[in-house]
Amino acid sequence: MITPNFTITQDFKFITIIIKTPYIKVSDVELYCEGPDFSFYVKPYYLRLHFPGNLVDDDRVNASYDISSGEMNIKIPKETPGEEFSDLDLLTKLLAPKSVKKVPEKPLIEIIDDNNDENNNQENDNELEELFGKEDDRQKSYKNNNDFLIRELNNDVNNEVNDVNDVNDVNVNDVNDNKPLIQELFDGKINDDKEAKRLYKLLEEADAYNWELPQQIPNEKELLPIAKYDPERSTPESRRQDRINAENSKFDPDHYIADFMCAEEIKNLIKSKNVWWKRSSDLNFTEEENTIMRNLTNKQYLIENVGSIYYGLIDLLFAYSYNYRVFEGENTVESPWMIGKISPTISCLEQFNSIEETMKALYRRSLAYPWYRNYKLAKKCQEDVYDLLKLGKRAILKVLLELKDLFDHHDIYYVYSKIWLDDYCIWCQTKAR
C-alpha cells in the first residue's frame, strides 16, 4: 500500500484532511473515524492517522473529490468544538504507530517463592497428571497402531512366501526395466519365514530407534561472530579516550595561529546573520520536508538516559550551525564530511552526561578538523544553537530533516542517517520537549 501525500488544517468546528490520490475510483473509497483514529483506503492508497483529540462520525462528515487536482477533501467535525488540535503539521507524529505491548513494570525474570503452598502444589499436580495422562494415551495409541501395522505387514509377508529365489540372489539382468528404481519394501516375493522374521525384527528396531538429530548447545565463544565492528569491542569510556587522543594528535598550533592572525574572512562569516533570525513566525514545512516526514515510521522508544539524547541533539545542531556559517547557508559536497567530523555523536558514537562535556568536545573538534579553526567562530556557532533552541521544536525539526536529506544522498555517510537522524526526526516530533 502507498501512503498518500496529505495536509491537515482545522477551524473552530472541523478538521480538514486533503489527501492527494490521483486516478482513483471514488466509489471504492472507504473512510473510518472513531475517537482520535481516522483511516482512509482506496486502492492503492492507505492512510491511518491518530489525532490528539476526538472526532465525530455523523451526518456532518463531508468528502469531495476534485478530479482535476486528484485531491480528496474530507471534513470531519470535532467532538468538542473549539478544541485546538496541536502539532497537525508534524506528520510522522500523526501517523498511527504500530501497536506495542506495554512493558511490564515487574522484572521479566523473577525468583518464584519456593515456600510450600498446598493449593498451588495441588493445582500443579493436577496439571501434570492431566498432561502425562494425555501423553500416555498418545503413547498407547501410537503403540497400538504400530502393533497393528507390524501384524499386517507380517501377514502380508507370510502370504507372499513362495519358492522364488532369494531377493539377494536376483540377477540384475532379470530385473524388469519398467519397474521403478525405488520400490516399497514388500513389492517383491520373500521365500521363507526366516526372512519375514528378519524384516519383523528390523521394523521393531526402527520403531525403537531415536530418529531425532542430536542437539548440543554450543559454547558461548562459538556464538560470537568472528568479524566485529569497533564499537562492539569498545565502551563509552574507551571511545571517549580514543576521541580525545585523536583530537590531540590532529590539533595543529600553526594552523590555529594562522587563522587567528589572518581572520578577515572568518570575521565576515561571524558577522553574517543566518536565516533563523527572521524565522520566528515562519516555520511552515515545505513539501519536500512533508514527504520526508511521511516516509518515516512512527516508533516507540525505551530511553534510559534521556539527558544524553538532548546533549546529542545539541551536538548535531552545533555541527549544522558551523556548516551553515562556513558555507553561508548553502550545502556543498563537503558538508556531510564537515558535519560528521565536528559532531562527536556521529564520528565517535559519543554519549555525553553534561552540557559542559558536550560543548568542550564540540569546541575541540571545531579547532582541530575543519578548514577554519577559530575560537570566536565556534562561539558564534554556540549562539546559533541557542537561537535555534529558542525557536522551538519546529525549527529544530527542520534542521534535522535537512541533515537527514543531506546524509541520505551521500554514498558513504548515508549510514549515519539510518543510525541517528531517522530516530532523531521521529523522537523530535513525538517525545521531545
Side-chain angles (χ1 to χ4, degrees):
M1 291 296 175
I2 300 173
T3 301
N5 296 340
F6 67 96
T7 56
I8 302 174
T9 59
Q10 64 177 322
D11 55 26
F12 187 80
K13 294 183 178 180
F14 289 89
I15 288 290
T16 302
I17 308 171
I18 301 175
I19 307 175
K20 187 75 172 180
T21 53
Y23 316 118
I24 64 169
K25 189 176 181 180
V26 180
S27 59
D28 292 340
V29 171
E30 297 180 12
L31 297 177
Y32 171 81
C33 178
E34 182 176 357
D37 297 320
F38 167 83
S39 64
F40 169 88
Y41 169 73
V42 61
K43 191 176 181 179
Y45 300 103
Y46 178 72
L47 180 64
R48 188 161 59 99
L49 302 175
H50 184 84
F51 288 95
N54 291 334
L55 304 174
V56 179
D57 186 5
D58 57 17
D59 295 338
R60 292 175 294 168
V61 174
N62 178 269
S64 60
Y65 184 69
D66 186 346
I67 298 177
S68 60
S69 62
E71 292 180 345
M72 177 72 70
N73 190 304
I74 304 169
K75 294 187 68 174
I76 305 174
K78 300 177 180 178
E79 183 178 77
T80 305
E83 180 183 3
E84 185 72 16
F85 285 19
S86 61
D87 298 337
L88 293 182
D89 55 343
L90 303 182
L91 303 187
T92 306
K93 183 177 181 180
L94 291 176
L95 293 173
K98 296 179 180 178
S99 58
V100 179
K101 293 183 179 179
K102 185 178 180 181
V103 179
E105 296 180 358
K106 294 184 178 180
L108 297 178
I109 299 176
E110 147 179 46
I111 299 176
I112 300 176
D113 188 6
D114 58 353
N115 294 330
N116 292 328
D117 187 279
E118 294 181 0
N119 294 331
N120 291 339
N121 289 341
Q122 183 64 35
E123 292 178 359
N124 292 337
D125 292 341
N126 293 338
E127 292 178 359
L128 289 175
E129 288 178 4
E130 182 180 358
L131 176 63
F132 287 124
K134 292 180 180 179
E135 184 64 26
D136 289 340
D137 292 341
R138 283 195 291 268
Q139 293 289 348
K140 291 178 181 179
S141 175
Y142 177 76
K143 186 176 186 304
N144 292 336
N145 291 337
N146 283 349
D147 291 343
F148 175 76
L149 176 62
I150 293 173
R151 288 196 301 271
E152 289 296 314
L153 292 174
N154 193 27
N155 292 335
D156 291 343
V157 170
N158 291 330
N159 292 335
E160 295 181 9
V161 172
N162 52 35
D163 296 331
V164 300
N165 293 330
D166 192 346
V167 173
N168 295 328
D169 297 330
V170 175
N171 191 336
V172 176
N173 296 326
D174 296 334
V175 177
N176 188 351
D177 293 338
N178 295 327
K179 298 178 71 174
L181 296 179
I182 300 177
Q183 306 183 56
E184 293 185 8
L185 182 62
F186 300 107
D187 272 358
K189 302 291 184 180
I190 301 175
N191 62 346
D192 55 16
D193 290 339
K194 184 178 180 181
E195 182 67 14
K197 291 179 180 179
R198 185 181 70 83
L199 293 175
Y200 180 84
K201 184 178 180 180
L202 287 175
L203 287 172
E204 287 185 327
E205 292 177 354
D207 183 58
Y209 182 76
N210 181 12
W211 293 94
E212 294 183 358
L213 295 175
Q215 300 183 93
Q216 184 178 2
I217 299 177
N219 296 329
E220 185 176 355
K221 293 182 179 179
E222 297 177 2
L223 295 175
L224 296 176
I226 298 176
K228 300 180 180 178
Y229 295 102
D230 289 337
E232 294 180 350
R233 295 179 293 186
S234 64
T235 63
E237 292 76 16
S238 67
R239 291 198 296 271
R240 176 167 300 177
Q241 190 58 50
D242 291 341
R243 173 182 63 78
I244 293 174
N245 293 338
E247 292 165 359
N248 289 339
S249 62
K250 182 63 177 176
F251 179 73
D252 185 352
D254 293 335
H255 192 142
Y256 179 79
I257 293 174
D259 282 354
F260 179 78
M261 300 299 295
C262 305
E264 193 63 33
E265 186 174 355
I266 296 176
K267 289 179 180 178
N268 294 331
L269 297 177
I270 294 174
K271 292 178 180 179
S272 64
K273 292 187 177 182
N274 60 44
V275 70
W276 302 108
W277 282 86
K278 56 182 180 181
R279 281 249 181 127
S280 57
S281 60
D282 180 22
L283 291 174
N284 296 324
F285 295 105
T286 65
E287 184 57 36
E288 183 179 2
E289 292 167 340
N290 286 332
T291 301
I292 296 175
M293 285 191 286
R294 280 193 297 268
N295 292 334
L296 292 171
T297 303
N298 196 351
K299 300 177 183 177
Q300 302 292 332
Y301 296 99
L302 298 177
I303 301 175
E304 295 181 356
N305 185 4
V306 68
S308 65
I309 306 299
Y310 283 101
Y311 300 140
L313 178 63
I314 293 174
D315 172 336
L316 295 172
L317 295 179
F318 184 95
Y320 168 85
S321 299
Y322 191 98
N323 174 77
Y324 191 97
R325 281 205 170 270
V326 169
F327 295 122
E328 300 180 355
E330 296 292 334
N331 291 319
T332 69
V333 292
E334 294 185 4
S335 293
W337 177 89
M338 179 177 290
I339 294 171
K341 275 297 182 183
I342 294 178
S343 168
T345 297
I346 293 178
S347 58
C348 305
L349 300 181
E350 182 67 89
Q351 293 178 324
F352 296 108
N353 296 314
S354 70
I355 189 65
E356 183 180 6
E357 289 180 356
T358 308
M359 298 313 301
K360 277 185 178 181
L362 290 168
Y363 271 68
R364 287 170 59 89
R365 298 187 72 81
S366 66
L367 299 178
Y369 288 98
W371 179 248
Y372 295 117
R373 305 176 187 179
N374 185 276
Y375 183 84
K376 291 184 178 179
L377 177 60
K379 188 174 180 63
K380 190 63 177 178
C381 293
Q382 178 180 339
E383 295 176 5
D384 291 340
V385 175
Y386 177 72
D387 292 333
L388 282 169
L389 292 173
K390 284 198 301 182
L391 290 176
K393 179 185 294 185
R394 282 163 180 78
I396 296 171
L397 179 57
K398 288 178 77 69
V399 170
L400 293 173
L401 293 173
E402 183 178 343
L403 289 176
K404 172 176 166 52
D405 184 60
L406 182 64
F407 277 72
D408 278 344
H409 293 88
H410 195 276
D411 57 345
I412 297 176
Y413 289 96
Y414 74 91
V415 67
Y416 297 113
S417 178
K418 304 303 179 186
I419 295 174
W420 291 111
L421 297 174
D422 283 7
D423 290 329
Y424 260 112
C425 290
I426 298 170
W427 172 81
C428 185
Q429 297 179 69
T430 58
K431 297 297 182 182
R433 295 186 179 181

